[in-house]
Amino acid sequence: MKMIKNIVSVFLCVIVSSCDALLFNPDRASENQGSIDILSPAEGESVIAGSIYSISWEPISSDVSGYYTIKLYLDGNLQNSIVTYYYSSSSIPSYSWSVPSDLEPSDQYSIRISDSDDSSVKGWSSNFTVSLPKITVTEPNGGEDVFRHGDQMDITWECDISAYLRISLYNGSEKIYQIYNLMPSANGQYSWTIPSSIPTGSSYKIRIEMYYDNTTYDESDYSFTIEQQSDIAISNVYTSNSNIND
């Protein structure tokens, strides 16, 4: 019976050790206790692809040269070198990172910062999330009164990063008119006078997309209508102009 207990104990130890090996990486753990403390991105923080993000850290060791190498990892695998020889004499250095717009969305990203002259001086961030940017068209969103040629349409939107946008008019799935190129996202609105060359129809939507990435976009939730100016409105304009000429 004693021999059986010993065999069971050894078997359980093997299982526990194997599980610990899968869940615990001693090399990564020692680096988390390393010579550089990464302040941002913090654990669970969301970083938006295509944005400018400030990476910050604190050197713990006095051996830091002031030259840093920053690398991006996904699931522990190297994705790219963000910067390879960046100098800062600050006690809390920071680096403005142009986050690539084509990064795969995931919550398993991490950053490793090391001394460029001594790679043993290093630190890891906790895991953080990279998410896609979001654009929301808020007006016109469908269901509005009918628009007519010559009307001023107020186009408004929300965007969670600083970027350039393209604003277009669609009739169903067909692009009919390009309203504006390279619109700064921070503006949040644009007033557009509807030209008479736009065909009348009831299936129109406004689409706003990233200028450098047209896969990221939003459009009006519902269709709206564009009509010609009514005969009464045209008559009033004609009468007004006649009075001026008289």
Side-chain angles (χ1 to χ4, degrees), residues 173-198:
S173 60
E174 181 184 2
K175 182 177 178 179
I176 297 296
Y177 192 86
Q178 188 164 291
I179 297 172
Y180 204 103
N181 259 334
L182 291 171
M183 169 67 72
S185 60
N187 286 14
Q189 67 85 30
Y190 179 71
S191 294
W192 175 51
T193 301
I194 303 173
S196 59
S197 59
I198 300 297

Short mmCIF file of all heavy atoms in Angstrom, two decimals, residues 173-198:
data_model
loop_
_atom_site.label_atom_id
_atom_site.label_comp_id
_atom_site.label_asym_id
_atom_site.label_seq_id
_atom_site.Cartn_x
_atom_site.Cartn_y
_atom_site.Cartn_z
N SER A 173 -25.54 50.31 -52.94
CA SER A 173 -24.13 49.92 -52.82
C SER A 173 -23.22 50.68 -53.78
O SER A 173 -22.02 50.43 -53.83
CB SER A 173 -24.00 48.41 -53.09
OG SER A 173 -24.46 48.10 -54.39
N GLU A 174 -23.79 51.62 -54.54
CA GLU A 174 -23.03 52.36 -55.56
C GLU A 174 -22.62 53.74 -55.06
O GLU A 174 -23.45 54.51 -54.57
CB GLU A 174 -23.86 52.51 -56.83
CG GLU A 174 -23.14 53.23 -57.96
CD GLU A 174 -24.01 53.45 -59.18
OE1 GLU A 174 -25.21 53.08 -59.14
OE2 GLU A 174 -23.49 54.00 -60.17
N LYS A 175 -21.32 54.02 -55.20
CA LYS A 175 -20.83 55.34 -54.83
C LYS A 175 -21.24 56.33 -55.92
O LYS A 175 -20.88 56.18 -57.07
CB LYS A 175 -19.31 55.31 -54.67
CG LYS A 175 -18.71 56.64 -54.24
CD LYS A 175 -17.21 56.50 -54.03
CE LYS A 175 -16.57 57.82 -53.64
NZ LYS A 175 -15.11 57.68 -53.40
N ILE A 176 -21.97 57.37 -55.49
CA ILE A 176 -22.50 58.35 -56.44
C ILE A 176 -21.67 59.62 -56.48
O ILE A 176 -21.43 60.20 -57.55
CB ILE A 176 -23.96 58.72 -56.07
CG1 ILE A 176 -24.86 57.49 -56.18
CG2 ILE A 176 -24.49 59.85 -56.93
CD1 ILE A 176 -24.97 56.95 -57.58
N TYR A 177 -21.18 60.04 -55.30
CA TYR A 177 -20.53 61.36 -55.24
C TYR A 177 -19.53 61.37 -54.08
O TYR A 177 -19.84 60.91 -52.99
CB TYR A 177 -21.59 62.43 -55.03
CG TYR A 177 -21.13 63.86 -55.23
CD1 TYR A 177 -21.12 64.44 -56.49
CD2 TYR A 177 -20.71 64.63 -54.15
CE1 TYR A 177 -20.72 65.75 -56.67
CE2 TYR A 177 -20.29 65.95 -54.32
CZ TYR A 177 -20.30 66.50 -55.59
OH TYR A 177 -19.89 67.81 -55.77
N GLN A 178 -18.33 61.86 -54.37
CA GLN A 178 -17.33 62.03 -53.32
C GLN A 178 -17.46 63.43 -52.75
O GLN A 178 -17.21 64.42 -53.45
CB GLN A 178 -15.92 61.80 -53.87
CG GLN A 178 -14.85 61.77 -52.79
CD GLN A 178 -13.57 61.17 -53.30
OE1 GLN A 178 -13.51 59.96 -53.57
NE2 GLN A 178 -12.56 61.98 -53.46
N ILE A 179 -17.85 63.51 -51.50
CA ILE A 179 -18.15 64.80 -50.88
C ILE A 179 -16.89 65.50 -50.38
O ILE A 179 -16.71 66.70 -50.59
CB ILE A 179 -19.16 64.61 -49.73
CG1 ILE A 179 -20.48 64.06 -50.29
CG2 ILE A 179 -19.40 65.91 -48.98
CD1 ILE A 179 -21.47 63.65 -49.23
N TYR A 180 -16.00 64.74 -49.72
CA TYR A 180 -14.79 65.37 -49.16
C TYR A 180 -13.71 64.32 -48.98
O TYR A 180 -13.97 63.20 -48.54
CB TYR A 180 -15.11 66.01 -47.80
CG TYR A 180 -14.16 67.13 -47.41
CD1 TYR A 180 -14.54 68.46 -47.51
CD2 TYR A 180 -12.88 66.85 -46.94
CE1 TYR A 180 -13.67 69.49 -47.15
CE2 TYR A 180 -12.01 67.87 -46.59
CZ TYR A 180 -12.40 69.18 -46.70
OH TYR A 180 -11.54 70.20 -46.35
N ASN A 181 -12.48 64.71 -49.32
CA ASN A 181 -11.30 63.89 -49.10
C ASN A 181 -10.42 64.51 -48.02
O ASN A 181 -10.37 65.74 -47.89
CB ASN A 181 -10.47 63.76 -50.38
CG ASN A 181 -10.69 62.43 -51.07
OD1 ASN A 181 -11.04 61.43 -50.45
ND2 ASN A 181 -10.48 62.40 -52.37
N LEU A 182 -9.73 63.66 -47.27
CA LEU A 182 -8.77 64.13 -46.26
C LEU A 182 -9.42 65.07 -45.24
O LEU A 182 -8.87 66.11 -44.88
CB LEU A 182 -7.58 64.83 -46.93
CG LEU A 182 -6.66 63.90 -47.73
CD1 LEU A 182 -5.65 64.71 -48.54
CD2 LEU A 182 -5.91 62.95 -46.80
N MET A 183 -10.56 64.68 -44.73
CA MET A 183 -11.23 65.44 -43.68
C MET A 183 -10.66 65.02 -42.32
O MET A 183 -10.68 63.84 -41.97
CB MET A 183 -12.74 65.16 -43.71
CG MET A 183 -13.50 65.69 -42.50
SD MET A 183 -13.53 67.50 -42.43
CE MET A 183 -14.66 67.85 -43.79
N PRO A 184 -10.12 65.96 -41.53
CA PRO A 184 -9.64 65.60 -40.18
C PRO A 184 -10.78 65.07 -39.33
O PRO A 184 -11.84 65.69 -39.25
CB PRO A 184 -9.10 66.93 -39.64
CG PRO A 184 -8.80 67.76 -40.85
CD PRO A 184 -9.86 67.37 -41.85
N SER A 185 -10.57 63.91 -38.72
CA SER A 185 -11.65 63.28 -37.95
C SER A 185 -12.11 64.14 -36.78
O SER A 185 -13.27 64.08 -36.38
CB SER A 185 -11.18 61.92 -37.43
OG SER A 185 -10.04 62.06 -36.58
N ALA A 186 -11.19 64.97 -36.24
CA ALA A 186 -11.52 65.78 -35.07
C ALA A 186 -12.57 66.85 -35.38
O ALA A 186 -13.22 67.37 -34.47
CB ALA A 186 -10.26 66.43 -34.52
N ASN A 187 -12.74 67.20 -36.66
CA ASN A 187 -13.72 68.24 -37.01
C ASN A 187 -15.13 67.83 -36.58
O ASN A 187 -15.90 68.66 -36.11
CB ASN A 187 -13.70 68.51 -38.52
CG ASN A 187 -12.46 69.29 -38.94
OD1 ASN A 187 -11.52 69.41 -38.18
ND2 ASN A 187 -12.48 69.80 -40.17
N GLY A 188 -15.49 66.59 -36.81
CA GLY A 188 -16.77 66.07 -36.33
C GLY A 188 -17.99 66.48 -37.12
O GLY A 188 -19.08 65.95 -36.88
N GLN A 189 -17.84 67.41 -38.06
CA GLN A 189 -19.01 67.82 -38.85
C GLN A 189 -18.58 68.50 -40.13
O GLN A 189 -17.47 69.04 -40.24
CB GLN A 189 -19.92 68.75 -38.03
CG GLN A 189 -19.32 70.10 -37.67
CD GLN A 189 -19.52 71.15 -38.76
OE1 GLN A 189 -20.51 71.09 -39.50
NE2 GLN A 189 -18.59 72.09 -38.86
N TYR A 190 -19.48 68.46 -41.12
CA TYR A 190 -19.25 69.14 -42.39
C TYR A 190 -20.61 69.48 -43.00
O TYR A 190 -21.52 68.65 -43.01
CB TYR A 190 -18.45 68.26 -43.36
CG TYR A 190 -18.20 68.91 -44.69
CD1 TYR A 190 -17.32 69.97 -44.83
CD2 TYR A 190 -18.86 68.45 -45.84
CE1 TYR A 190 -17.09 70.57 -46.05
CE2 TYR A 190 -18.65 69.05 -47.07
CZ TYR A 190 -17.75 70.11 -47.17
OH TYR A 190 -17.54 70.70 -48.38
N SER A 191 -20.75 70.71 -43.50
CA SER A 191 -22.00 71.14 -44.14
C SER A 191 -21.82 71.06 -45.65
O SER A 191 -20.94 71.73 -46.22
CB SER A 191 -22.35 72.57 -43.71
OG SER A 191 -22.66 72.60 -42.32
N TRP A 192 -22.68 70.29 -46.29
CA TRP A 192 -22.57 70.03 -47.72
C TRP A 192 -23.83 70.53 -48.42
O TRP A 192 -24.95 70.20 -48.03
CB TRP A 192 -22.42 68.53 -47.97
CG TRP A 192 -22.43 68.10 -49.41
CD1 TRP A 192 -21.67 68.61 -50.42
CD2 TRP A 192 -23.24 67.06 -49.99
NE1 TRP A 192 -21.94 67.95 -51.60
CE2 TRP A 192 -22.90 67.00 -51.37
CE3 TRP A 192 -24.19 66.19 -49.49
CZ2 TRP A 192 -23.50 66.09 -52.24
CZ3 TRP A 192 -24.78 65.27 -50.35
CH2 TRP A 192 -24.44 65.24 -51.72
N THR A 193 -23.62 71.34 -49.47
CA THR A 193 -24.73 71.80 -50.29
C THR A 193 -24.96 70.80 -51.41
O THR A 193 -24.07 70.54 -52.21
CB THR A 193 -24.45 73.20 -50.88
OG1 THR A 193 -24.23 74.12 -49.81
CG2 THR A 193 -25.63 73.68 -51.72
N ILE A 194 -26.15 70.22 -51.47
CA ILE A 194 -26.45 69.14 -52.42
C ILE A 194 -26.55 69.71 -53.83
O ILE A 194 -27.42 70.55 -54.11
CB ILE A 194 -27.76 68.44 -52.05
CG1 ILE A 194 -27.69 67.91 -50.62
CG2 ILE A 194 -28.06 67.31 -53.03
CD1 ILE A 194 -29.00 67.34 -50.10
N PRO A 195 -25.68 69.30 -54.74
CA PRO A 195 -25.71 69.83 -56.11
C PRO A 195 -26.88 69.27 -56.91
O PRO A 195 -27.38 68.17 -56.64
CB PRO A 195 -24.37 69.38 -56.70
CG PRO A 195 -23.99 68.19 -55.91
CD PRO A 195 -24.54 68.36 -54.53
N SER A 196 -27.32 70.02 -57.92
CA SER A 196 -28.46 69.61 -58.74
C SER A 196 -28.11 68.42 -59.64
O SER A 196 -29.01 67.80 -60.22
CB SER A 196 -28.93 70.78 -59.61
OG SER A 196 -27.88 71.24 -60.44
N SER A 197 -26.81 68.09 -59.74
CA SER A 197 -26.40 66.97 -60.59
C SER A 197 -26.68 65.61 -59.93
O SER A 197 -26.60 64.57 -60.60
CB SER A 197 -24.90 67.08 -60.89
OG SER A 197 -24.14 67.08 -59.70
N ILE A 198 -27.00 65.61 -58.64
CA ILE A 198 -27.29 64.35 -57.95
C ILE A 198 -28.65 63.82 -58.42
O ILE A 198 -29.66 64.53 -58.31
CB ILE A 198 -27.30 64.54 -56.42
CG1 ILE A 198 -25.95 65.06 -55.93
CG2 ILE A 198 -27.66 63.23 -55.71
CD1 ILE A 198 -24.80 64.13 -56.15
#
